[in-house]
Amino acid sequence: MSLSLFEASVPAFERSLTAFLGVLDKAEAHAKARKFDAANYLAVRLIPDMWPLTRQIQAFCDHAKNAAFRLAGAEPPAVENRETTIAELRARIHATLEHLKTVDSAAVDAAADRDVVFPLGPAKMKMQGANYLLHFALPNFYFHLTTAYDILRAGGVEIGKRDFLGAVPGLTPA
Amino acid sequence: MSLSLFEASVPAFERSLTAFLGVLDKAEAHAKARKFDAANYLAVRLIPDMWPLTRQIQAFCDHAKNAAFRLAGAEPPAVENRETTIAELRARIHATLEHLKTVDSAAVDAAADRDVVFPLGPAKMKMQGANYLLHFALPNFYFHLTTAYDILRAGGVEIGKRDFLGAVPGLTPA
């Protein structure tokens, strides 16, 4: 009848982060086939006053990590934004996946009934845990994930919805 | 301790759809200020082999409606893709919000324990209800919502993350 808060958060982050490793593989393969440096993608923006690819990837990694730790009532480990290569961005995603593995699922589940406190710009805000996940963390995560995908897709990488979704669990012919 | 499937789906769709009405308002205001027809946005694509704005909006409306009805075990009402103006796209979003109001929340909640059957291209697929929501419906919905936002943002409309998120419930200073 119901869903645990852990189930609604960490596995979705993990599926999406793992899928994006495959998107980066396709970006590198495309660059190699066209004989340009895949790192040329890192500074690409959809418009000059939006964040570039690197910052979009850092942002979705942080939204996943921070949401999981805050839901669990723990301080998210600080990660600096220093990536300057595709290999380093791939390592950032792997590090995020490792951080997610350390999150206590029972502590996350308990967040449904308490407030999550988090910084928003210069302010400190709070939200009830389930609202924080559904109306802040998930839309922010998917916003930066999709925009990173869109930058690569608009930049010629041959990716489609399946690459974005990744390994959808339990999808079988009816 | 837990989340209902209805809580994890319909209110997130409603918040996002309502927010996108505001995004369309800003697109029209921008076009008016720059003295061009806002309908010029409808055919804009991030790259020629991606869907244009109109189709992205139709897609996120359908993902929201179809997910809610399928989770409830009901046949989603069919809606044709005929919009050719911003006003018609706004009406499509309103119609989607009206459809969501008719969904039985208890029936949606019951989907956590049963399979949801849905068409995927030419195939008929099934997934356990919670997996369907978390790993198919929500990422698909946010994918098309963000891409629609990105098309307008890259097209000069003055929008930001707050316009994308809309009215985040229960967000208060800590």
Side-chain angles (χ1 to χ4, degrees):
Chain A
M1 278 292 287
S2 65
L3 213 55
S4 84
L5 225 60
F6 182 84
E7 195 186 352
S9 56
V10 173
F13 296 145
E14 290 175 334
R15 173 188 44 74
S16 300
L17 291 165
T18 303
F20 207 84
L21 292 170
V23 167
L24 289 179
D25 290 345
K26 291 201 172 180
E28 283 191 316
H30 179 75
K32 194 174 176 187
R34 296 286 299 274
K35 299 191 173 62
F36 68 87
D37 187 343
N40 292 358
Y41 279 121
L42 302 194
V44 176
R45 305 166 190 263
L46 291 177
I47 183 170
D49 64 346
M50 274 184 96
W51 282 350
L53 179 65
T54 295
R55 193 71 190 82
Q56 300 289 351
I57 294 174
Q58 291 163 342
F60 71 67
C61 284
D62 274 355
H63 276 293
K65 166 182 65 69
N66 293 347
F69 278 75
R70 286 177 188 145
L71 285 167
E75 183 64 24
V79 175
E80 282 191 82
N81 290 335
R82 314 185 96 153
E83 292 80 9
T84 60
T85 65
I86 297 257
E88 286 172 1
L89 287 168
R90 192 179 274 112
R92 172 73 173 257
I93 295 173
H94 279 295
T96 306
L97 287 163
E98 289 304 313
H99 276 134
L100 291 177
K101 278 188 201 161
T102 68
V103 172
D104 179 353
S105 64
V108 170
D109 289 348
D113 300 322
R114 59 173 167 71
D115 282 346
V116 169
V117 176
F118 59 102
L120 189 62
K124 210 169 191 177
M125 306 298 285
K126 65 176 180 181
M127 284 179 81
Q128 181 265 346
N131 279 339
Y132 168 74
L133 174 62
L134 297 167
H135 300 291
F136 187 84
L138 278 178
N140 266 297
F141 174 75
Y142 281 126
F143 178 91
H144 293 289
L145 185 77
T146 304
T147 302
Y149 171 100
D150 282 345
I151 288 170
L152 290 170
R153 179 70 173 73
V157 181
E158 289 174 31
I159 43 180
K161 182 74 71 63
R162 281 181 198 201
D163 299 295
F164 175 81
L165 291 177
V168 176
L171 178 66
T172 48
Chain B
M1 278 292 287
S2 65
L3 213 57
S4 85
L5 224 61
F6 182 84
E7 196 187 352
S9 56
V10 173
F13 296 145
E14 290 175 334
R15 173 187 43 75
S16 301
L17 291 164
T18 304
F20 207 84
L21 292 170
V23 168
L24 290 178
D25 290 345
K26 291 202 172 179
E28 284 190 316
H30 178 76
K32 197 175 173 185
R34 296 285 301 271
K35 298 190 172 66
F36 68 87
D37 187 343
N40 292 358
Y41 279 121
L42 302 193
V44 175
R45 306 166 189 263
L46 291 178
I47 184 169
D49 64 347
M50 273 184 98
W51 283 350
L53 179 66
T54 295
R55 192 72 190 82
Q56 301 288 351
I57 294 174
Q58 291 163 342
F60 71 67
C61 285
D62 274 356
H63 276 291
K65 165 181 65 69
N66 294 348
F69 277 76
R70 286 177 190 146
L71 285 167
E75 182 67 21
V79 175
E80 282 192 81
N81 289 335
R82 312 185 97 152
E83 291 81 9
T84 59
T85 64
I86 297 257
E88 286 172 2
L89 288 168
R90 193 179 272 113
R92 173 72 172 260
I93 294 173
H94 280 295
T96 306
L97 286 164
E98 288 303 312
H99 277 134
L100 292 178
K101 278 189 200 159
T102 69
V103 172
D104 179 353
S105 63
V108 170
D109 289 346
D113 299 321
R114 58 174 167 68
D115 282 345
V116 169
V117 176
F118 59 102
L120 190 63
K124 211 169 193 177
M125 306 300 284
K126 67 176 178 182
M127 284 179 82
Q128 181 265 345
N131 279 339
Y132 168 73
L133 173 62
L134 297 167
H135 301 290
F136 187 84
L138 279 179
N140 266 296
F141 173 75
Y142 281 124
F143 177 90
H144 293 289
L145 185 76
T146 304
T147 302
Y149 171 99
D150 282 344
I151 289 170
L152 290 170
R153 178 71 174 73
V157 181
E158 289 172 33
I159 43 180
K161 181 72 72 61
R162 281 182 197 201
D163 299 296
F164 175 81
L165 292 176
V168 176
L171 179 66
T172 48

